Amino acid sequence: MAGGLNGAEPVIRCRDLTKVFGSGSAAGRALDMAREGASRGEIQQRTGATLAVRDVSFAVEPGELFVVMGLSGSGKSTLVRLLNRLIEPSGGSVEIDGRELRGLSDAQLRQLRNRRISMVFQHFALLPHRTVLQNAAYGLQIRGTSEGEKRERAQWALDQVGLGDRGDAYPGQLSGGMKQRVGLARALASDTDVMLMDEPFSALDPLIRRDMQALLIRLQKELSKTIVFITHDLNEAMRLGDRILLLKDGRLVQLGTGPEILAAPADDYVADFVSDVDRTRVLTAEDVLREPRLVARLEERPADVLRRLGAAEATGAYVVDDDRRILGVVHDEWLGQAAASGRERIDPGALDDGFATTGPDRPLIEILGRLGRHAVPLAVVDDRGRLLGVVPRAAVLASLAAVPTRS
């Protein structure tokens, strides 16, 4: 399709992207063998060249956090370096905003890296003899930004990552997590729309790693960068990625959202990956959303609502206004009394607040303790408080116990 998932043109588009490492003649033979369908191992054995990335095609949408993952040697770090031409491709194409990278001059490529694409590395890549503020401003210095603007942008970026008061410190005085925050601040200060992140959190201990993931999620909601994030950790990929591309031996194995990959792994390789995933941290309220079995309005006759409650074998119903904002819950006991006395509508005073709500993006692990506590299922509401659906306890249990299907 011409446009992206959200109707806009993709920021990054790769077509049949291939990379072979080896001498000229060996690389050429390796490419020929790859086109004939030879395996990576066979190519290595017969030519001595390494087929790192093989015929990979995908597009990254504006504002998307796109995750590339695979085991060591899968080609993911090579792939991310092909996206800004730190490595020259052996075949295929990479387009940024519709411009083919191999058609850019050296000067145009430098400008692209300085102003359009920033990169965050696994091992921080900080300059030890520069302060934290100077490190955060380094990309702007290369760009030739004025001193005042450079300092202002760097300070803003440090504030975003929680290091606003550490600008005068040096990298040697920081913990690993703090150093990675400086690396992230440097990318933010450069104010590029595209960020490439090569396993940026893999050197951190688990608790700090989760903090950094949470920070990235928050910043992405606020800033809407286009991010390509490399990882070997599927739980991290599932937590962060709008979509996930899985690589094996340099080849694309599956591309989809976390829930899509969990529900229908493409092959045994992917199925082995997802078998150990903590589904409570991957699936969200939206993934298990159901239509409410019964919703009532104040103007309805209690007798009619009571009959619908009986048919649904429920003891309570959400009462909503014309915009589907929840006014409260009405219970069968009151409805029975009201029907017996001939009431013609539901009394607002009969409603109670015996219900709980959540946003659609909330992971299941954060809502499990709130299920089954009320007469009505957990309500999923938007940011205006409108009822989108409900999360029945049985639906959650079914999702967590589901056996993945092979596509």
Side-chain angles (χ1 to χ4, degrees), residues 93-166:
S93 65
V94 178
E95 296 176 6
I96 305 293
D97 299 325
R99 301 173 69 194
E100 218 289 307
L101 292 194
R102 286 203 283 189
L104 301 183
S105 67
D106 290 345
Q108 290 172 323
L109 189 57
R110 284 194 298 271
Q111 185 176 39
L112 179 83
R113 293 170 182 161
N114 285 339
R115 298 184 178 274
R116 190 73 174 108
I117 302 176
S118 55
M119 194 156 185
V120 182
F121 298 93
Q122 176 180 350
H123 295 295
F124 322 131
L126 302 183
L127 302 170
H129 302 301
R130 292 177 183 255
T131 66
V132 165
L133 186 69
Q134 290 168 338
N135 269 282
Y138 185 67
L140 297 172
Q141 177 182 332
I142 294 174
R143 190 184 297 174
T145 305
S146 68
E147 192 64 34
E149 182 183 351
K150 184 171 63 176
R151 185 175 186 86
E152 181 180 346
R153 288 291 307 174
Q155 185 61 53
W156 169 84
L158 290 175
D159 290 339
Q160 296 302 304
V161 301
L163 291 178
D165 60 346
R166 301 303 301 271

Side-chain angles (χ1 to χ4, degrees), residues 302-303 306 309 330-342:
L306 184 63
L309 269 182
V330 65
H331 296 280
D332 55 355
E333 184 176 356
W334 183 88
L335 290 169
Q337 295 171 354
S341 62

Side-chain angles (χ1 to χ4, degrees), residues 23-333:
S23 65
S25 59
R29 292 198 305 274
L31 276 175
D32 290 340
M33 291 180 65
R35 294 187 186 105
E36 294 168 0
S39 69
R40 178 190 263 187
E42 184 181 358
I43 291 171
Q44 174 82 39
Q45 183 178 18
R46 291 178 57 184
T47 69
T50 300
L51 180 61
V53 175
R54 179 174 193 158
D55 294 328
V56 173
S57 300
F58 63 91
V60 182
E61 314 301 332
E64 183 177 18
L65 205 167
F66 186 90
V67 173
V68 178
M69 74 150 298
L71 297 177
S72 178
S74 63
K76 56 189 184 297
S77 290
T78 298
L79 178 61
V80 76
R81 283 162 171 77
L82 289 167
L83 299 184
N84 60 358
R85 240 182 85 187
L86 286 177
I87 297 174
E88 293 289 342
S90 304
S93 65
V94 178
E95 296 176 6
I96 305 293
D97 299 325
R99 301 173 69 194
E100 218 289 307
L101 292 194
R102 286 203 283 189
L104 301 183
S105 67
D106 290 345
Q108 290 172 323
L109 189 57
R110 284 194 298 271
Q111 185 176 39
L112 179 83
R113 293 170 182 161
N114 285 339
R115 298 184 178 274
R116 190 73 174 108
I117 302 176
S118 55
M119 194 156 185
V120 182
F121 298 93
Q122 176 180 350
H123 295 295
F124 322 131
L126 302 183
L127 302 170
H129 302 301
R130 292 177 183 255
T131 66
V132 165
L133 186 69
Q134 290 168 338
N135 269 282
Y138 185 67
L140 297 172
Q141 177 182 332
I142 294 174
R143 190 184 297 174
T145 305
S146 68
E147 192 64 34
E149 182 183 351
K150 184 171 63 176
R151 185 175 186 86
E152 181 180 346
R153 288 291 307 174
Q155 185 61 53
W156 169 84
L158 290 175
D159 290 339
Q160 296 302 304
V161 301
L163 291 178
D165 60 346
R166 301 303 301 271
D168 293 332
Y170 287 86
Q173 298 171 293
L174 303 181
S175 67
M178 288 181 177
K179 290 177 182 176
Q180 194 55 278
R181 286 173 186 260
V182 178
L184 182 55
R186 181 170 54 200
L188 293 176
S190 297
D191 198 26
T192 60
D193 292 328
V194 180
M195 295 171 57
L196 308 179
M197 307 185 73
D198 187 13
E199 299 211 53
F201 307 149
S202 63
L204 306 176
D205 70 51
L207 290 178
I208 296 175
R209 185 171 187 164
R210 284 197 64 80
D211 287 344
M212 289 298 297
Q213 292 167 0
L215 172 63
L216 182 61
I217 291 170
R218 177 181 67 79
L219 290 173
Q220 181 63 354
K221 285 182 179 178
E222 295 173 359
L223 304 176
S224 296
K225 300 290 186 180
T226 301
I227 299 175
V228 177
F229 188 100
I230 307 299
T231 183
H232 64 268
D233 185 320
L234 186 57
N235 279 300
E236 181 170 72
M238 292 282 182
R239 184 182 187 195
L240 296 178
D242 295 317
R243 288 186 298 152
I244 301 166
L245 185 157
L246 284 95
L247 286 177
K248 179 187 180 186
D249 294 336
R251 189 193 295 273
L252 190 159
V253 179
Q254 188 164 2
L255 173 59
T257 67
E260 287 170 350
I261 293 171
L262 278 179
D267 58 18
D268 289 340
Y269 175 77
V270 181
D272 288 342
F273 257 114
V274 302
S275 63
D276 293 327
V277 168
D278 184 349
R279 290 169 177 259
T280 65
R281 298 184 184 277
V282 175
L283 299 176
T284 65
E286 186 174 23
D287 294 322
V288 295
L289 188 71
R290 300 289 186 272
E291 281 291 326
R293 298 182 69 182
L294 180 60
V295 174
R297 299 182 184 275
L298 289 175
E299 59 270 21
E300 292 191 67
R301 295 177 65 245
D304 294 338
V305 178
L306 184 63
R307 278 194 292 272
R308 287 158 53 205
L309 269 182
E313 298 183 350
T315 60
Y318 282 109
V319 179
V320 300
D321 65 15
D322 290 340
D323 291 326
R324 288 185 67 86
R325 284 190 289 264
I326 299 174
L327 301 175
V329 173
V330 65
H331 296 280
D332 55 355
E333 184 176 356

